[in-house]
Every structure is written in C-alpha cells, then in structure tokens.
Amino acid sequence: MKVIESLNDIFKYGAFSLPAANYLSCEGNIPKDYREILCILKLAWKGNFKEALEKIDKTLKNYKSETVKYILLANKLVFLKYIGQLNLDLYRYLKRKLPKMSKSIRDTVIVTLISFEADKVNSLRKVRVWKNDYRKSTLSLLYLSLARREASSEKFSKAVHNYIQAYKQAKEIPHPTCIVSSLNDLAWDIKEKHPRLAYKISQGAVFWLGYYRESPGNLFGVIDTLFVTEKIINAFSIYKTSKIIKSLEVPKRYEKLLKEAEKYIPKFDVSIYVNTKSLRKSIREIIEPYRKEKVSTGRISEIITTKEKRIRGNTLRKILDGKRVESLKLPYPLYNEYIKILIKKQFEEALKKLKQIPLSERERFFICTYTAQVERAKFYLSRKDKFKETYKLLGDIEKFGKHMARRYETMKFVVEMIKAHPYVEGRKAVVKKAIDKIEIKKLRKIIQRYIELDEPDRKLIDSFLRNYGRYDGIEFGISLMAPEVVREFAKKYQLKIQPTILAFWCVDDKRTRGRLERVLRKISV
C-alpha cells in the first residue's frame, strides 16, 4: 500500500493527529518526502504559515512523486489564502490536474478548491461534488467548505445547513478543527442578525478549542469571534476573554485585537481614579433613575461639581451597587469597579455551591481549575507556600472562603471552580477525565508532589494530563511506543496506556520529552 494511503486513517483527525505526526517524524520508517509533509503540517497547525510556505517551496524542488507534489501544492494554496494571498493560477492548475490524481488525494484537493472559492473567486465553473463518494473526515471538511462558499454568495440558509452538517460529521470522528471552525464560522455569519445566538454558538466553539487544542494556533480567530459578539451584545464576560487574549501568544494579524482587548482587562490593584468629565457624566446618568443611594447626596454633589479631584473605587462600587448596567461603553473607572462587583457576587454564589460538595470533589475541582489556568506567571496560588496553604483550607470551607475573599484574583479562581470562561472550561473538562480516574488517596499524594514541583514542571505535567483527556478513546491505527516510565505512570494511577502514550508524544521537542520523563518519575516515587 502506498505511504499516503496508509497515512490517511491516521490523519483523518487533522491537527489533532499531532502525537502521531511527532512519533512518525522521530520513530517512523517513512520516506523523506512524507517526513517533510509532516513537518510542514505541524508548522501550519501552529499558525506558522509563512515558514510552512518556505518549506513547501524548498521541498517542491526535490519531490519524488506526483502525489507528494499535489499534496504540497494544495497546502500551498490554503496557506497563501491564510496570509491574504489568493493564487488563482495555482487554483486553476490544481483544478485542471484533478483527473490525474489518485482518489484519496483528489478528494482532499477538491475540498481545498471549494474552500478557495469561498473567497468570491471568479472561476469559470465551480467545482462539482458528489457527497456520497467521500470518507467521513473528508465529508465534514467538504460541508464546511460548501458552507463558506454559500455564505460568500449570501445564500445563508444553505450555508447554515452545511455548517450544521459539518459539525455533526466532525463530532462523530472527531475532527477538532472542523468542529471548532463550523461553529465559529456560523457564529460569525449570523452575528449581525442574531447576535445573542451567535454569542452562544461562539462560546461553544471556544469551549471545544480549549478542549481539543493546547494552544489556539491557526484557530486564534475563534477567540476573536467571541470577543466581537461580546462587544455587540454588551456582555461583561468580555473581561475574561480579554484576559485570555492577553495571556496567549497572539499572531501578528490579531495585534489590533490585542490592543482592543487590553482596554477591557480589569486592574484589581487600582482603587483610586481621577475625577474626569466623562466619569462625572456617566455617574449622573447612572444615579438619575434612582432616588435611594448608598452614597450621601453631599458626597455625590462633591463628585459631580468637581470639588473632589479623585474618587475611590469603594465610592464607585456603592454608586453602581444594585444598578442595571447594560452597556460596555463606560469610563474605565466605572467599568473596572463594576467587574469587581460581578466577581464578588459570583464568588459568593460559587462558595455556596462548594459548601454542598464533598471534600474529595472540592479537591478535584481545585486541582482541575488550577491546571486549566492559561497564565499563572504572577498568580497568587502559583507560589508553593500559598498553593499548599490554600489547598489545606479546602477541608474547612468557611476558612477557605475568608482566605480567598481577600483578593479579586482568588475570588475569580473560586468562581472558575464552578464555572469558568468557555476556553478554560474546555481545558478543565479534559484534565478532569484524567483526574477522575485516579483514586482519591493516590490523587492526594500526586498533589503533594505536584506542589513541590517548580512552576515550569507543573505546566508540563498540566499539559500532559490535559492531553491524556483529549486522546482518551482516540485510535490512530498504529501502535505508538514510549519510555517505560510513561507506562509505569499509567499503571500506577489507573490511567489507560494508549492515551497516556499519546499524551507523551504531544510534546514536540525531544529535550522536553526527556524532562517530562523526569517529572513523571518524581511524581511516581
């Protein structure tokens, strides 16, 4: 059987095939051409399209088969599109060569051509398709490409139907890129006419992004869609999305999004503000419909008449308390203090729910939430002593609540133990699949050893456990090997062997895999 045919079953998962790609690149007995293809795909999955294009051009000079050439050219057409270049000549060339391609490659190229046509390319004739002739993985991408083509022609009812079909087909495989993209593109297309529905759909896309991807890579636009829909419907959850955007590696094409997001990031350590004209105007608009105020009439008068040059955050919270604030278009001081009000209210509700949960479940919620955090560089709990102190307090929920109530960042963490931002919630869901398999006494021992790890090693084991959850139940059609310590770790903590090995091979770098082995030994002692 030809190499590409044998790889088709493995790569039906798209970018989700990363561990198989890493394994085959290092251990697999495959021709150099196909090793280069794996390298190119890995670059693209990370969103490094320019580097991938350079490698395609280099590989095209020395390809050994026509099949390899068509794979490379099809990917080149897609990657050029992603960096804003529509190569019509290459599109026509591939379309003309379709009859000469083997069926497995032809199907993939047809999906690529239809996706290209979604950008309103004036071709002489659109590519025709017969949906019964495709494998499920190709069919899901075909539906997605057709949906994009219909949407670009403003045939939205047909587009919606195809987006739904793409999502259903992709979920059965699963094909994460298609799952996330079908929901995201649907949300983007309907956001003007149905903004609240688009917001809900976008939340689903972001959840699956966190569930399936360790980092957004070439799907960063999914977070952009959520941010845009939150702005449209004035959702204060935008502060969470903004913080996540700031915490991630933002591609150059989304630098404007980053600058916009920074405006919505709350500053919990800021509590005194300059009394500006816009702030005074907004305060008047807020208090006008209300007669009873928690701030005295004299105090409000001092603020409005500019006698008070600076305003305390506590004063603004008293003015805002109990008010319906329905627009994000607030001066930053009011926005910042309103976010603090929301966090405190959500914290109190979350604490009530945690009181009703057994200690063992609270411990699982705590460690799942901690490991799912996107950025912990300056996080209070990332310090070993603070982590240990807080973890011990879980046994006394009253003391735990008082301890966490001292800081807004820790209050926010408690909120996330119950319900987090969809991106974090997706990461929580996959790590929970690993954590829930470990018996509580063994889990407590792991946590004690985890606390003593340095933060970089903690992050490495976090990623490993998340990837275990992602690949639980996934079959690639090949058996992957791994160092004995990986198998021993799985056996000791009742984890399945194959997803544990796949989690190990999610690590790209050989040196980092060696470090992961050492960390697993530390935890397994």
Side-chain angles (χ1 to χ4, degrees):
M1 185 181 287
K2 293 179 182 179
V3 175
I4 193 61
E5 272 74 13
S6 65
L7 291 181
N8 270 338
D9 285 339
I10 298 170
F11 293 102
K12 67 182 180 182
Y13 301 111
F16 200 48
S17 300
L18 177 64
N22 283 337
Y23 180 79
L24 290 170
S25 296
C26 297
E27 308 288 336
N29 183 23
I30 59 173
K32 184 181 177 182
D33 284 353
Y34 293 98
R35 205 178 292 272
E36 292 298 321
I37 288 172
L38 294 179
C39 183
I40 289 164
L41 289 173
K42 284 163 62 178
L43 287 169
W45 294 340
K46 291 178 182 178
N48 299 334
F49 296 113
K50 288 185 178 179
E51 193 176 344
L53 283 164
E54 288 173 7
K55 198 158 188 65
I56 285 174
D57 288 339
K58 185 178 178 181
T59 308
L60 280 169
K61 293 175 183 178
N62 300 296
Y63 68 88
K64 297 289 178 66
S65 75
E66 289 293 297
T67 296
V68 169
K69 181 180 79 170
Y70 294 133
I71 293 171
L72 292 170
L73 289 176
N75 278 299
K76 182 174 182 176
L77 185 69
V78 173
F79 301 162
L80 284 170
K81 175 185 161 185
Y82 282 140
I83 63 171
Q85 298 178 30
L86 297 178
N87 190 328
L88 194 55
D89 289 338
L90 180 54
Y91 162 82
R92 286 171 176 156
Y93 173 81
L94 287 169
K95 189 176 177 183
R96 189 168 64 250
K97 293 292 183 178
L98 282 174
K100 295 185 178 181
M101 300 177 193
S102 65
K103 187 179 185 311
S104 59
I105 300 307
R106 185 169 64 248
D107 291 351
T108 302
V109 173
I110 285 173
V111 170
T112 300
L113 296 176
I114 294 171
S115 177
F116 186 82
E117 290 169 358
D119 285 273
K120 300 183 179 179
V121 174
N122 294 318
S123 59
L124 295 175
R125 190 173 66 178
K126 304 283 186 192
V127 174
R128 294 181 65 188
V129 295
W130 290 266
K131 295 168 188 171
N132 293 333
D133 293 340
Y134 295 89
R135 294 180 304 126
K136 190 172 288 186
S137 56
T138 308
L139 187 59
S140 62
L141 291 169
L142 176 63
Y143 274 119
L144 179 60
S145 296
L146 288 170
R148 288 169 172 168
R149 192 167 77 177
E150 300 293 0
S152 72
S153 301
E154 299 187 356
K155 298 175 182 177
F156 292 112
S157 60
K158 288 184 179 179
V160 169
H161 169 77
N162 283 324
Y163 281 134
I164 293 169
Q165 292 304 313
Y167 175 75
K168 286 180 178 178
Q169 295 284 341
K171 278 287 286 175
E172 289 180 17
I173 301 169
H175 192 296
T177 300
C178 193
I179 291 170
V180 173
S181 297
S182 56
L183 291 175
N184 176 68
D185 290 11
L186 174 56
W188 185 263
D189 287 342
I190 68 170
K191 69 184 185 302
E192 301 299 336
K193 289 188 176 180
H194 307 284
R196 295 199 175 275
L197 178 59
Y199 171 59
K200 287 185 178 180
I201 294 170
S202 180
Q203 283 183 309
V206 171
F207 171 86
W208 290 118
L209 179 66
Y211 186 97
Y212 283 115
R213 286 282 188 100
E214 192 57 25
S215 59
N218 58 359
L219 293 176
F220 197 90
V222 176
I223 298 176
D224 177 34
T225 301
L226 179 58
F227 182 85
V228 169
T229 57
E230 284 172 328
K231 278 189 72 176
I232 292 171
I233 68 169
N234 290 296
F236 281 89
S237 57
I238 199 170
Y239 86 89
K240 299 176 187 177
T241 304
S242 299
K243 187 74 171 74
I244 284 169
I245 291 169
K246 179 72 173 176
S247 301
L248 293 169
E249 186 178 343
V250 180
K252 277 191 175 182
R253 61 187 291 203
Y254 290 104
E255 285 178 351
K256 285 180 70 176
L257 169 67
L258 175 60
K259 288 180 181 178
E260 182 71 11
E262 285 173 341
K263 299 175 187 176
Y264 294 96
I265 297 175
K267 297 174 183 175
F268 298 139
D269 58 342
V270 174
S271 58
I272 297 178
Y273 307 92
V274 176
N275 187 5
T276 63
K277 184 177 179 180
S278 63
L279 179 56
R280 293 193 297 274
K281 182 183 177 183
S282 291
I283 290 173
R284 285 194 194 97
E285 291 172 352
I286 288 168
I287 64 175
E288 204 167 89
Y290 298 87
R291 292 184 179 182
K292 293 182 180 179
E293 290 295 332
K294 293 185 179 181
V295 182
S296 68
T297 305
R299 185 85 178 91
I300 290 173
S301 178
E302 287 176 356
I303 293 169
I304 292 175
T305 57
T306 71
K307 287 183 180 180
E308 196 70 44
K309 300 298 181 185
R310 294 184 179 274
I311 309 176
R312 290 184 176 275
N314 188 47
T315 302
L316 293 178
R317 289 198 300 277
K318 286 179 179 178
I319 291 171
L320 287 164
D321 193 27
K323 310 295 191 302
R324 288 185 65 184
V325 181
E326 297 178 336
S327 174
L328 292 171
K329 294 177 181 177
L330 290 171
Y332 186 79
L334 286 169
Y335 170 82
N336 200 42
E337 295 304 319
Y338 189 66
I339 295 299
K340 291 178 184 179
I341 290 171
L342 291 179
I343 289 172
K344 189 172 182 182
K345 183 180 178 182
Q346 291 166 359
F347 166 74
E348 290 167 354
E349 292 170 356
L351 209 56
K352 288 177 184 176
K353 292 179 180 178
L354 285 173
K355 286 179 182 178
Q356 299 169 3
I357 296 172
L359 173 59
S360 61
E361 286 303 299
R362 288 203 293 269
E363 290 174 301
R364 293 182 192 276
F365 279 28
F366 183 86
I367 194 65
C368 285
T369 306
Y370 184 83
T371 58
Q373 295 299 299
V374 181
E375 178 54 58
R376 300 195 304 241
K378 297 179 181 179
F379 185 41
Y380 176 79
L381 294 179
S382 64
R383 291 168 50 183
K384 291 181 184 179
D385 57 335
K386 301 304 178 186
F387 188 109
K388 188 181 292 185
E389 178 188 7
T390 306
Y391 176 68
K392 284 181 179 178
L393 288 174
L394 284 166
D396 188 331
I397 200 67
E398 296 296 335
K399 288 182 180 179
F400 175 78
K402 287 178 182 178
H403 177 71
M404 300 300 268
R406 294 173 186 168
R407 296 168 184 81
Y408 283 102
E409 66 169 343
T410 49
M411 282 196 278
K412 178 174 171 286
F413 179 86
V414 173
V415 173
E416 290 180 340
M417 286 175 69
I418 298 300
K419 187 178 181 181
H421 183 277
Y423 186 72
V424 176
E425 202 63 41
R427 287 158 69 92
K428 276 174 62 182
V430 284
V431 80
K432 190 174 185 294
K433 289 173 73 174
I435 296 296
D436 282 354
K437 286 186 180 296
I438 304 172
E439 191 266 327
I440 190 61
K441 288 183 181 178
K442 289 186 177 181
L443 179 61
R444 285 167 179 160
K445 286 182 181 179
I446 289 178
I447 292 171
Q448 292 303 325
R449 289 164 188 157
Y450 176 85
I451 290 170
E452 298 307 319
L453 293 174
D454 293 332
E455 184 63 7
D457 287 345
R458 283 189 203 162
K459 286 184 176 180
L460 188 58
I461 200 69
D462 295 345
S463 176
F464 175 75
L465 290 173
R466 283 195 295 270
N467 283 322
Y468 172 90
R470 290 180 178 118
Y471 289 95
D472 186 9
I474 300 297
E475 296 288 341
F476 281 105
I478 57 170
S479 294
L480 278 66
M481 305 300 290
E484 190 58 32
V485 65
V486 178
R487 291 177 173 274
E488 288 173 359
F489 182 86
K491 290 175 183 176
K492 184 168 184 176
Y493 297 112
Q494 299 96 41
L495 300 175
K496 296 176 185 176
I497 300 291
Q498 198 58 28
T500 308
I501 292 173
L502 288 170
F504 174 80
W505 280 106
C506 283
V507 181
D508 279 315
D509 179 57
K510 184 178 180 180
R511 184 178 295 180
T512 308
R513 285 196 296 271
R515 184 159 64 89
L516 176 57
E517 288 181 55
R518 294 192 292 275
V519 174
L520 292 175
R521 284 193 187 95
K522 284 182 185 179
I523 291 178
S524 299
V525 172

